[in-house]
Amino acid sequence: EEADGQAEAAEPEPEPNPVYCYFASEVTNINIVFVLALMYCVVAPIMMPACFMYFGLAFSVYKWLFVHVYTKQYDLMGETWYACFWGLIVGAGFGTLSLAGLAAIQKGSKSPECIALWVLTFAVMVFGFHCQKTFMPFCSVLPYRAAVLADETASKEVVHGFASDYYRDPILSEMTEKETREILTPMSDSESEGPCASP
């Protein structure tokens, strides 16, 4: 009986079920709060301290969840931010535009409040396109040093998982075998003649 008790005590505890982050719902909820805060901050500025507390608490909670609770399912490589950014920009633009309409109804279309909100809407759109043009090119490429480091630290399992046609020219892959042979045959003949061959 003592041996059975020791065997049961030696059995490892089952691992808990992995917990994944549902990015679609989580990011959507954060975007909704941010857009609503931008939309109504002019009408009810008292809500801004509450929004500040919400985002500060959300930053701490999500940081703890990603470090200690959530299981890494895949690496998004920051791709979620592109759609999230334009969702925020468009939401902020339409929110400010709706406030401009409200100011036009209450104060008149030529009032300083309405004109200021129209200028703010234009500034939000300009800011979005400025970020797209200035920072997006740097986000769509990988620095050479990072690529070299990734090649040096890649495991053999990753290398063996590559397919043979990963680096195949897409134009050549769409061509038939006969067309490919017609292109490659003159190239192989010129290589066999050598650079010093006489005409």
Side-chain angles (χ1 to χ4, degrees):
E1 293 179 357
E2 293 180 359
D4 294 339
Q6 292 178 357
E8 292 178 358
E11 291 181 359
E13 296 181 359
E15 296 182 358
N17 294 329
V19 179
Y20 301 113
C21 177
Y22 297 98
F23 288 97
S25 61
E26 299 293 342
V27 174
T28 301
N29 293 335
I30 295 174
N31 281 352
I32 289 174
V33 175
F34 188 82
V35 170
L36 289 177
L38 290 178
M39 183 181 298
Y40 295 106
C41 64
V42 179
V43 179
I46 192 65
M47 68 182 297
M48 296 310 294
C51 294
F52 178 79
M53 293 176 58
Y54 167 80
F55 283 107
L57 183 62
F59 172 79
S60 302
V61 170
Y62 278 111
K63 185 178 181 180
W64 183 83
L65 287 174
F66 278 106
V67 173
H68 300 288
V69 178
Y70 288 147
T71 302
K72 184 177 179 180
Q73 189 176 9
Y74 41 77
D75 192 351
L76 297 176
M77 302 294 290
E79 292 289 337
T80 309
W81 170 247
Y82 304 140
C84 178
F85 173 76
W86 278 110
L88 295 174
I89 291 296
V90 172
F94 278 107
T96 311
L97 194 61
S98 64
L99 288 177
L102 182 62
I105 295 175
Q106 298 292 334
K107 299 292 185 176
S109 58
K110 296 182 179 180
S111 62
E113 295 85 352
C114 181
I115 296 175
L117 287 170
W118 274 103
V119 173
L120 182 59
T121 304
F122 179 75
V124 169
M125 293 295 114
V126 170
F127 173 75
F129 284 106
H130 169 72
C131 292
Q132 176 76 15
K133 184 178 180 180
T134 305
F135 303 110
M136 186 62 182
F138 298 101
C139 300
S140 59
V141 296
L142 184 67
Y144 180 73
R145 181 176 297 179
V148 172
L149 181 61
D151 289 338
E152 292 177 350
T153 58
S155 62
K156 294 182 179 180
E157 297 179 357
V158 176
V159 176
H160 290 311
F162 288 163
S164 59
D165 59 345
Y166 270 7
Y167 301 102
R168 183 177 177 84
D169 192 330
I171 297 178
L172 294 178
S173 61
E174 297 176 357
M175 299 173 63
T176 62
E177 184 178 354
K178 181 179 179 182
E179 293 173 340
T180 306
R181 193 183 303 111
E182 292 176 354
I183 295 175
L184 297 179
T185 299
M187 296 174 60
S188 59
D189 294 341
S190 61
E191 290 178 358
S192 61
E193 291 178 359
C196 299
S198 58

